[in-house]
Amino acid sequence: MARPLRHLDDELYVQYGALCIYGTPDIPELRDEESEALHYTAALHLEAWDAEPPDPGTSWRLIEQRNFTAETGVIQIGVVDDSGREFLIGPPLFEYGLTVHVDVPDDGRWLFRFWPIRDVFDPLVHMKPREPIGSTSPLEPRPVPVPVTTAGQWAAMRPDKFRRSEGGVRWVAMPPGLPWANPVADALNPDNLPTFLIPCQEQHVPDFRTKEPGGTYRMWRWERQTADGDPEDGNLLTGRIVHVRDSLGRRVFASGIVTMLGMDDGRCLVRDAEPHEAARVLCSEETWPD
């Protein structure tokens, strides 16, 4: 039986009768062909489910049903020059099902329901690095096994232990001054694993992928050298590599695989990647060797 995971209530000013979805490769456009209204403020209700949900009932009229791919699992409903709040629908690089309904007596109310269908990760498509500057020969991939996951393996599909309710977790606006009091970051870390900050300059984050919450990346940082070789904060351990040792400065330049939870003031809030998350990055590194 399908289970609701979380939901979000939002408002957005509709332009020319259409809404779209950001966070997908093709940005699908959604339109109520029966409505004559073109410009109005719409009330949006977004729901994330773990499987295809039941019909919402006769008070809702179906206007769209489609499949699409989500890049990081974090989407926004938007218009041409604006978008609503971020909403986590599930794992990155999955195919999703979507139904869109409008309220029968009030077609200014929209209902969006999302659920994961299957893993579509492909390192040849989703993790191809940019061609080196001045290169005259194209990058050649190496054939390697591609990991395939189920939606239930991912943190995004685990109900938040601390804010679970019968109708799913409701996402509400957070008070100002709390940069990491973020429902997306919370939902991507439902087990409350240790988090840490890494600068988000290009040398720290690969530039061939979108740097967005929900994505998993290899990131780099300088660390103080320790007697046992382990990082002082106990983080950046997944897929860890020490690239440079600065003996005079007693520091090391190390990298590890992390999942991004949020961004603020030039820094990334991350946690160490789980094994199935890291497997995609490791697969891509083998597919596209230096």
Side-chain angles (χ1 to χ4, degrees):
M1 182 177 178
R3 188 175 51 129
L5 297 174
R6 61 189 67 90
H7 63 268
L8 168 69
D9 292 302
D10 207 353
E11 285 190 349
L12 195 65
Y13 187 71
V14 176
Q15 301 175 21
Y16 302 102
L19 293 171
C20 61
I21 303 177
Y22 293 107
T24 71
D26 55 353
I27 311 182
E29 186 178 89
L30 311 167
R31 186 182 301 273
D32 180 6
E33 300 293 350
E34 296 185 20
S35 175
E36 297 181 357
L38 294 179
H39 306 280
Y40 60 94
T41 300
L44 312 179
H45 183 76
L46 284 64
E47 297 178 351
W49 291 69
D50 66 353
E52 184 172 0
D55 187 273
T58 57
S59 63
W60 293 97
R61 173 169 54 86
L62 179 68
I63 64 170
E64 184 81 34
Q65 182 164 1
R66 66 164 65 204
N67 294 357
F68 70 96
T69 298
E71 294 167 327
T72 66
V74 178
I75 61 94
Q76 293 170 286
I77 304 300
V79 291
V80 174
D81 57 359
D82 193 16
S83 61
R85 291 158 54 199
E86 292 183 332
F87 184 58
L88 178 66
I89 62 173
L93 298 175
F94 260 65
E95 180 185 358
Y96 284 85
L98 165 67
T99 58
V100 184
H101 294 77
V102 294
D103 190 287
V104 171
D106 178 7
D107 60 10
R109 295 179 61 218
W110 294 56
L111 169 64
F112 297 81
R113 288 178 155 188
F114 303 89
W115 66 94
I117 297 174
R118 64 187 180 95
D119 186 341
V120 295
F121 166 68
D122 182 349
L124 300 181
V125 176
H126 303 121
M127 288 285 211
K128 183 177 180 180
R130 291 180 180 174
E131 299 282 349
I133 297 176
S135 174
T136 58
S137 58
L139 293 172
E140 290 294 335
R142 186 165 55 191
V144 299
V146 177
V148 179
T149 63
T150 62
Q153 293 178 253
W154 294 81
M157 303 305 294
R158 301 174 202 151
D160 189 312
K161 297 176 180 178
F162 306 103
R163 294 181 295 127
R164 179 71 179 164
S165 66
E166 184 178 348
V169 177
R170 182 167 184 241
W171 292 24
V172 297
M174 296 295 176
L178 298 175
W180 303 124
N182 183 309
V184 171
D186 291 342
L188 288 168
N189 194 22
D191 299 322
N192 200 28
L193 299 176
T195 61
F196 54 107
L197 294 168
I198 287 185
C200 289
Q201 291 89 358
E202 290 295 339
Q203 65 264 33
H204 294 281
V205 184
D207 60 2
F208 56 85
R209 290 198 59 199
T210 304
K211 310 172 196 65
E212 296 289 347
T216 299
Y217 314 92
R218 180 173 292 278
M219 291 189 181
W220 290 258
R221 70 178 180 182
W222 282 103
E223 302 170 350
R224 282 196 289 186
Q225 195 172 37
T226 59
D228 58 8
D230 294 332
E232 286 184 312
D233 62 0
N235 297 309
L236 204 67
L237 296 176
T238 302
R240 180 175 176 83
I241 300 173
V242 174
H243 301 272
V244 177
R245 298 183 185 274
D246 176 8
S247 300
L248 292 178
R250 299 192 60 79
R251 59 181 188 160
V252 299
F253 190 57
S255 72
I257 302 172
V258 299
T259 293
M260 187 182 297
L261 307 180
M263 297 180 66
D264 180 68
D265 193 26
R267 300 173 300 172
C268 306
L269 178 71
V270 301
R271 60 166 171 77
D272 278 345
E274 297 181 3
H276 59 278
E277 297 171 326
R280 286 182 170 182
V281 176
L282 295 171
C283 169
S284 301
E285 291 175 343
E286 291 184 37
T287 301
W288 303 104
D290 292 337

